[in-house]
Amino acid sequence: ALMVAQRNPHTSILAIDIESMAVEESNYNFTNSPWADRLRAVKADFVSFPKLTDVRFDLIVSNPPFFVDSLTCPDANRSTARHTTQLPFDKLISGAANLLTPEGKLCLITPADCENLISDLSQTNNLHITGKTFVHPTPDALPKRILWKISNHMAAIEEHHLTIEIE
């Protein structure tokens, strides 16, 4: 949210998180930033959020929980942040589809092995993939993550590759 505020000087930003402590920390950081007047964080469950608001968004940015069917952490808050049990990809994409303006976009990051799932879920929800950036840990490695740009409007898919570590 802070980076979006920094790069978009005329944008109001609402950040949501299911964890109270994350919301508190976000609001603290927002208050102490140069963009405090345009940032707000609230505690909300994204799965329920589309039913609770009639507000529509031009952009939804998500760094969702990644892990599906994997060993969870004994710390419940940490598991919620990392595992898709509270926010499965199908609920994220359908919720975003309901919250976007007609010109709106969803940007998110997922594990690379979810490529077909995200493509299928986008299509199911009448959304169109307009950008994919494959994130490689090193030049010779397969991608580990994909940065997605998903829209209400069909367009040619821009594909890029980003390598994290060159040497």
Side-chain angles (χ1 to χ4, degrees):
L2 286 166
M3 287 187 282
V4 173
Q6 181 182 20
R7 290 177 179 235
N8 299 279
H10 304 292
T11 302
S12 295
I13 297 160
L14 172 66
I16 69 168
D17 200 291
I18 196 170
E19 295 296 328
S20 298
M21 293 297 288
V23 171
E24 267 184 53
E25 185 175 350
S26 294
N27 278 319
Y28 175 82
N29 290 333
F30 294 169
T31 300
N32 291 291
S33 79
W35 314 285
D37 60 326
R38 299 187 290 113
L39 289 157
R40 182 170 59 106
V42 296
K43 183 180 185 313
D45 171 4
F46 188 80
V47 173
S48 303
F49 188 72
K51 299 174 193 128
L52 303 175
T53 185
D54 57 357
V55 175
R56 295 296 169 256
F57 298 87
D58 296 319
L59 176 64
I60 296 173
V61 178
S62 180
N63 180 8
F66 280 1
F67 301 112
V68 180
D69 299 328
S70 63
L71 185 62
T72 57
C73 177
D75 180 331
N77 289 342
R78 198 167 196 186
S79 283
T80 296
R82 293 181 173 191
H83 297 270
T84 61
T85 53
Q86 298 288 326
L87 183 58
F89 291 128
D90 63 326
K91 300 292 185 191
L92 172 63
I93 304 256
S94 66
N98 289 322
L99 288 168
L100 290 172
T101 62
E103 300 299 319
K105 293 176 180 53
L106 167 65
C107 294
L108 69 145
I109 181 171
T110 68
D113 62 3
C114 293
E115 183 175 11
N116 291 336
L117 174 64
I118 300 302
S119 294
D120 292 346
L121 290 171
S122 297
Q123 185 175 17
T124 299
N125 287 281
N126 298 313
L127 296 172
H128 306 279
I129 297 164
T130 59
K132 289 195 272 187
T133 299
F134 297 90
V135 182
H136 302 262
T138 60
D140 297 328
L142 292 172
K144 293 287 186 187
R145 304 283 184 255
I146 300 175
L147 305 173
W148 298 88
K149 185 167 38 169
I150 302 170
S151 172
N152 276 317
H153 296 286
M154 191 178 298
I157 300 173
E158 291 184 30
E159 287 193 6
H160 303 279
H161 292 266
L162 172 67
T163 302
I164 301 298
E165 183 180 334
I166 303 299
E167 294 180 10

